[in-house]
Amino acid sequence: MKLAAQDRIALDADVAVVGGGPAGAATATHLARAGVDVLLLDAQRFPRFKPCGEFMSPQCLPLLRELRAFDVVRDLGAQEVAGMELFGWGRSARGRFVDVGRARAPIAHGWAIRREVFDAALLDNARSAGVRVLEGVRVRSVRRDSTGRVLGVDARAADGSTLQVGARWTIGADGLRSRVARDLGVQRDDPRLRRMALVTRFAGASLQRLAQVHFFADGYFALAPVDGGLVSVNLVLSMDAFEREALPRDRAFEAWVERVPEVRERLAGAERVDPVRGVGPMSMRTTQQTFDGAALVGDACGYADPMTGEGVFFALKGASMLAASLRDALASDTVERAQLAPYLRGRAKEITPRARVCRWMVQALHRPTLARAAFRWLEARPGLADLAVSMSGDYATNHELLRPSVWTRAFATGARA
Ligand SMILES: Cc1cc2nc3c(=O)[nH]c(=O)nc-3n(C[C@H](O)[C@H](O)[C@H](O)COP(=O)(O)OP(=O)(O)OC[C@H]3O[C@@H](n4cnc5c(N)ncnc54)[C@H](O)[C@@H]3O)c2cc1C
């Protein structure tokens, strides 16, 4: 969709989606396929870079099928990731995505693909579904009436023209530093979560269907084999560790590679093909996700720690649940937040518990005694490593993960099936 160069443009839609990452593109696609008139605005032009470990959990794959985007993402070169190798405190373990109790892995692998490739494909998929997409248009503020009900957004295009978008429902899918969440007054900085990430990619460092996570006291490196024979490398550090040394990004990245022997060895002889880009501090959460006339989805709801690689699943699953709720809400005349109660219930079941487990794992790994003990067990018991890795696969519910028989079996397993 192209904009005529004008000073002020007014547009209307049933639903205005702010942000064209996985959460926004997926929400818009589901709605458009149900016959809803959707306008999506993104501040950037695609393909655009997004700092990410670029790993997608196995449970994302059925969600991509639902979006009818599975084949296209596979054909773009998404690499199969069958499990993870975990390194830390002189020990190592290898876990695969396996069935957990009664929970069956939908497919025995996840995928890894460069985010600029994946996100552009999802946005194209939204366009084909009938979504009107405006790229290079930044939302500046949310418009509300005197009762607080959201009426749409004001935005500015790259050519300087301003847009006034009116919509029955406005969706904030605008990521970690969501303008929509901030304007609605629900964004909070959580100092306990403050992290900095440095991301880049290498050629010539093969990983053979396994991602790797290398833990150390101040953070971790995550490596994933992506399309084009590249390896995506993320360094996630506590803000303190990053600020303590006050080095430029690329020097800080190189210094940490030197300090972690397994990463140094893995990248020896490989060539860095991307700049080292930084993102952080990453520490946002929100106090509310639905409003009269609006909702938040994906990272706009709050930061998903990248350690377990679940952010894309949260975005796609959240989108699917929000679209289902919105379809019902649009059938009525009102735009009360109560109509989105099923979405909130879905989040409480599918997203909040997983995000909580991830936070616990992050906190545990920052306690050296606990982390050392965990690695001792993981190395000695392959079944336990399978279980730990499967937790990040997003197919097992916490209920399943808490069943004693699941743990007894994992402890007893001396060798992987
Ligand atoms: C270092 C790092 C590593 C990660 N690794 C993984 C991983 O391996 N696996 C995984 O599953 N998750 C990972 N994540 C999390 C994952 O990247 C996010 O959870 C996911 O991208 C969320 O998708 P989203 O659509 O909500 O937001 P985004 O992908 O951030 O998309 C938001 C979109 O909104 C647009 N936007 C922002 N502001 C405005 C505005 N004012 N107006 C219009 N448009 C706007 C942006 O241009 C962007 O396109 C990682 C995150 C980080 C930071």
Side-chain angles (χ1 to χ4, degrees):
M1 183 181 178
K2 289 210 163 25
L3 285 176
Q6 264 175 257
D7 283 338
R8 192 169 184 79
I9 300 156
L11 291 170
D12 281 314
D14 286 337
V15 177
V17 177
V18 183
T27 307
T29 303
H30 287 303
L31 289 171
R33 292 239 170 87
V36 177
D37 172 33
V38 188
L39 179 68
L40 182 152
L41 311 117
D42 198 290
Q44 299 195 52
R45 292 194 175 279
F46 287 60
R48 56 97 178 91
F49 178 79
K50 160 78 180 82
C52 187
E54 313 197 304
F55 161 74
M56 250 182 277
S57 71
Q59 196 63 16
C60 290
L61 277 53
L63 293 168
L64 292 175
R65 276 197 204 284
E66 232 179 65
L67 287 165
R68 296 179 219 161
F70 182 95
D71 291 353
V72 75
V73 176
R74 182 198 55 209
D75 295 348
L76 283 166
Q79 297 293 297
E80 292 183 4
V81 177
M84 289 186 197
E85 289 179 293
L86 309 173
F87 299 83
W89 290 272
R91 296 184 185 273
S92 67
R94 178 183 293 184
R96 294 184 183 268
F97 297 112
V98 294
D99 296 341
V100 175
R102 285 176 294 215
R104 300 278 166 262
I107 231 168
H109 61 81
W111 270 347
I113 181 166
R114 284 174 299 156
R115 279 294 300 272
E116 60 268 37
V117 175
F118 176 65
D119 289 17
L122 282 195
L123 196 59
D124 276 348
N125 189 52
R127 241 185 232 107
S128 329
V131 177
R132 290 181 286 152
V133 176
L134 288 176
E135 296 179 46
V137 174
R138 181 172 291 279
V139 166
R140 312 282 284 229
S141 58
V142 171
R143 281 188 299 110
R144 307 175 86 169
D145 68 11
S146 55
T147 67
R149 181 168 72 102
V150 175
L151 302 174
V153 292
D154 289 319
R156 185 184 287 271
D159 68 3
S161 49
T162 56
L163 274 80
Q164 191 177 69
V165 177
R168 286 172 68 191
W169 288 95
T170 299
I171 307 307
D174 47 344
L176 204 58
R177 292 194 176 74
S178 168
R179 175 87 236 180
V180 176
R182 199 179 333 148
D183 260 27
L184 292 171
V186 296
Q187 212 171 45
R188 303 284 182 274
D189 184 44
D190 187 339
R192 288 170 311 167
L193 303 176
R194 296 188 87 220
R195 304 258 190 290
M196 177 77 193
L198 300 175
V199 304
T200 187
R201 297 187 192 115
F202 283 77
S206 104
L207 283 185
Q208 297 180 343
R209 294 189 86 228
L210 290 174
Q212 293 189 342
V213 190
H214 301 258
F215 296 96
F216 47 90
D218 288 311
Y220 57 90
F221 274 99
L223 282 65
V226 293
D227 54 305
L230 302 178
V231 169
S232 171
V233 183
N234 281 201
L235 166 63
V236 180
L237 283 175
S238 69
M239 216 47 209
D240 289 349
F242 184 71
E243 286 169 350
R244 204 162 50 221
E245 297 185 73
L247 289 171
R249 285 171 192 166
D250 49 353
R251 293 221 2 244
F253 183 87
E254 284 157 15
W256 280 99
V257 169
E258 284 305 309
R259 285 170 200 154
V260 183
E262 295 85 0
V263 176
R264 189 179 61 225
E265 280 157 30
R266 174 66 55 180
L267 298 180
E271 184 195 354
R272 179 156 68 76
V273 293
D274 270 352
V276 176
R277 294 164 160 126
V279 54
M282 310 177 287
S283 55
M284 291 303 171
R285 62 182 180 85
T286 53
T287 53
Q288 193 178 319
Q289 296 80 37
T290 56
F291 312 82
D292 290 346
L296 303 174
V297 65
D299 272 11
C301 295
Y303 161 67
D305 193 288
M307 192 180 89
T308 53
E310 294 175 281
V312 173
F313 169 74
F314 293 165
L316 298 179
K317 185 70 190 175
S320 166
M321 296 186 301
L322 175 59
S325 249
L326 279 170
R327 277 196 301 265
D328 294 342
L330 282 159
S332 81
D333 285 340
T334 63
V335 289
E336 283 163 19
R337 92 177 254 250
Q339 291 176 302
L340 300 186
Y343 169 56
L344 289 184
R345 281 199 297 276
R347 288 188 61 81
K349 181 164 173 250
E350 300 284 350
I351 296 177
T352 315
R354 292 188 164 104
R356 195 175 295 138
V357 168
C358 176
R359 262 199 313 278
W360 288 339
M361 284 164 78
V362 171
Q363 279 161 13
L365 285 162
H366 276 90
R367 291 164 199 240
T369 320
L370 212 56
R372 265 194 202 95
F375 264 91
R376 222 173 19 248
W377 281 107
L378 289 169
E379 190 175 68
R381 304 279 168 190
L384 207 55
D386 283 343
L387 185 57
V389 164
S390 299
M391 278 183 188
S392 68
D394 290 318
Y395 45 87
T397 58
N398 280 9
H399 178 71
E400 208 59 43
L401 288 166
L402 287 173
R403 284 177 52 210
S405 59
V406 165
W407 289 88
T408 318
R409 207 169 306 131
F411 268 99
T413 315
R416 202 174 289 112

